[in-house]
């Protein structure tokens, strides 16, 4: 008896699954879906281009900041070398004076280098923030196109 009941229940579920039909797609709905897919694909492509452009802009700013860091460090090294050379050439009684003068030149070079480094870093950070904003705007536009397209498909399906 249990096998019969189990078979009847299984048959009931099987017929219920086959009884469900998919809604018939009218030409208007198919056309709306195709348009929606095209619009979404275009929006995704634009978003991808915006992302690549933003990344390129960010990478360029960061590379420029690194170059500025390297240039500043090289300038400081040159000033140190000049100072050491002057100290080495100085008479024994003038060595302290030459060291002080060299230290002053090195400190000035370091100050200038740090100032440039900070400005370059700030610019790189600003470019990164701007790029992130551009990416978010592009993603938002893509989401809006997706929502509009879904609404258009629903409206076409509701007409029939």
């Amino acid at each position: 008896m249990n096998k019969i009941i189990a078979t009847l229940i299984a048959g009931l579920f099987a017929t219920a699954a086959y009884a469900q039909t998919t809604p018939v797609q009218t030409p208007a709905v198919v056309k709306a879906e195709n348009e929606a897919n095209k619009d979404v694909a275009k929006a995704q492509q634009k978003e991808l281009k915006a992302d690549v452009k933003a990344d390129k802009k960010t990478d360029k700013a960061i590379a420029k900041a690194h170059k500025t860091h390297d240039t500043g460090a090289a300038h400081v090294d040159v000033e140190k070398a000049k100072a050491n050379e002057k100290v080495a050439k100085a008479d024994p009684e003038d060595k302290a004076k030459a060291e002080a003068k060299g230290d002053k030149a090195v400190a000035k070079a370091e100050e200038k280098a740090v100032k440039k480094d900070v400005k370059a870093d700030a610019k790189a950070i600003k470019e990164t923030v701007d790029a992130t904003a551009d990416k978010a705007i592009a993603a938002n536009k893509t989401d809006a196109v997706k929502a509009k397209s879904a609404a258009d498909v629903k409206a076409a399906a509701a007409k029939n």
Side-chain angles (χ1 to χ4, degrees):
M1 187 71 166
N2 286 339
K3 288 182 182 180
I4 294 172
I5 293 174
T7 306
L8 288 173
I9 292 174
L12 178 67
F13 282 117
T15 55
Y18 283 114
Q20 293 180 356
T21 59
T22 59
V24 177
Q25 299 255 330
T26 63
V29 173
V30 171
K31 184 177 178 184
E33 285 180 349
N34 288 339
E35 286 293 321
N37 290 338
K38 284 181 188 177
D39 291 345
V40 170
K42 279 184 183 179
Q44 288 173 337
Q45 189 175 24
K46 285 182 181 179
E47 180 182 358
L48 186 61
K49 282 183 181 180
D51 286 355
V52 169
K53 186 177 178 182
D55 287 340
K56 187 176 179 182
K57 196 175 181 183
T58 300
D59 292 343
K60 185 177 177 182
I62 290 171
K64 191 172 182 180
H66 287 304
K67 184 178 178 183
T68 302
H69 291 282
D70 294 343
T71 303
H75 184 68
V76 169
D77 290 342
V78 167
E79 286 298 322
K80 285 180 183 178
K82 283 181 184 178
N84 289 337
E85 185 180 324
K86 287 180 182 179
V87 169
K89 287 183 178 180
D91 293 332
E93 60 271 355
D94 293 334
K95 282 197 189 272
K97 188 176 180 182
E99 281 181 13
K101 194 173 182 182
D103 289 346
K104 186 177 178 182
V106 169
K108 188 174 180 180
E110 285 175 345
E111 177 188 12
K112 192 174 182 181
V114 169
K115 185 177 180 181
K116 285 183 178 181
D117 289 351
V118 169
K119 285 184 177 183
D121 287 344
K123 189 171 183 179
I125 290 168
K126 182 184 180 300
E127 290 295 335
T128 303
V129 169
D130 289 347
T132 303
D134 291 346
K135 287 180 179 183
I137 289 169
N140 186 37
K141 285 181 182 178
T142 301
D143 291 343
V145 168
K146 286 179 181 177
K148 182 182 177 289
S149 297
D152 289 345
V153 170
K154 274 187 179 179
K159 286 182 181 178
N160 298 325

